[in-house]
Amino acid sequence: MTETLLLTTLVLAIAAWASWYVIVAVRTHRRLAGVRVVICPETGKDAAVRLDWVDAAMATAADDKPDLRLADCSRWATRGRCDEPCVPQAAAQSTRVTSIVDRWEARSHCALCGKPVTDAPFIGHHAGLLSPDGRTTEWTDVAAENLPKALDTRRAICWNCHVAETFRREHPELVTDR
Ligand SMILES: [Zn+2]
């Protein structure tokens, strides 16, 4: 009887401990995961970074104050690792790529049909950008570090117009303008 009680207590304790780690991991992932675009304090140019959310989650779960650091930066490949002075910027929700795109979509209308520009990521439909040469691309095809400039300098286009323009470009023989 005592053994059963001990075993039950142990199982409950392990389950509680595991649940705590899962809760912290989910919360930390929601807060810190995802690509962010910061202005690199060393170069003054846009850089795409990822925070090390796994390390932060482990520290939080162990009741340590997490020492936020980067997991990756688009500039490291050419400049090597740095002292990560951009971490406070990267921690701000406003630097998330999804936040940047949300703000852009909220102020944009399609340059071709005038409709609001929105994403339907669950079915793989993303808003597009119109280049000066008439080519269109979905915003997800632009490297994150180039995205803020692309959103500022190119015209927005809705997904339907992006598909129509791509078809028109790739199959001009099949298109009849009315
Ligand atoms: Zn359109």
Side-chain angles (χ1 to χ4, degrees):
M1 187 65 189
T2 314
E3 265 185 29
T4 309
L5 189 65
L6 269 175
L7 193 62
T8 307
T9 309
L10 188 65
V11 167
L12 287 175
I14 290 172
W17 175 82
S19 305
W20 168 241
Y21 267 75
V22 170
I23 289 167
V24 169
V26 169
R27 280 187 187 161
T28 310
H29 181 272
R30 197 176 295 158
R31 192 164 53 87
L32 299 178
V35 179
R36 286 111 199 288
V37 181
V38 298
I39 298 171
C40 174
E42 292 180 353
T43 64
K45 294 179 177 165
D46 288 338
V49 300
R50 284 179 191 274
L51 288 162
D52 190 345
W53 72 268
V54 176
D55 189 66
M58 296 300 276
T60 305
D63 216 16
D64 271 345
K65 186 169 164 30
D67 193 14
L68 268 187
R69 57 185 193 188
L70 299 187
D72 194 19
C73 171
S74 57
R75 299 200 168 267
W76 285 355
T78 50
R79 295 176 55 87
R81 287 195 79 115
C82 60
D83 292 334
E84 307 179 10
C86 68
V87 163
Q89 277 186 68
Q93 297 302 312
S94 59
T95 60
R96 295 177 89 125
V97 163
T98 47
S99 300
I100 292 168
V101 171
D102 284 349
R103 292 197 297 275
W104 168 71
E105 288 184 350
R107 65 174 188 266
S108 300
H109 285 81
C110 177
L112 297 181
C113 73
K115 290 181 180 163
V117 169
T118 54
D119 268 13
F122 297 115
I123 48 175
H125 295 184
H126 299 101
L129 293 159
L130 184 61
S131 295
D133 65 2
R135 293 178 80 88
T136 62
T137 44
E138 290 182 57
W139 69 261
T140 47
D141 292 328
V142 179
E145 62 271 28
N146 300 327
L147 196 56
K149 190 176 177 195
L151 298 182
D152 278 349
T153 56
R154 296 197 220 162
R155 300 176 75 191
I157 189 166
C158 73
W159 188 82
N160 286 339
C161 287
H162 162 63
V163 172
E165 287 305 303
T166 303
F167 185 81
R168 185 188 296 271
R169 191 176 68 242
E170 293 176 356
H171 304 284
E173 74 283 2
L174 298 176
V175 177
T176 310
D177 282 313
R178 295 185 184 183

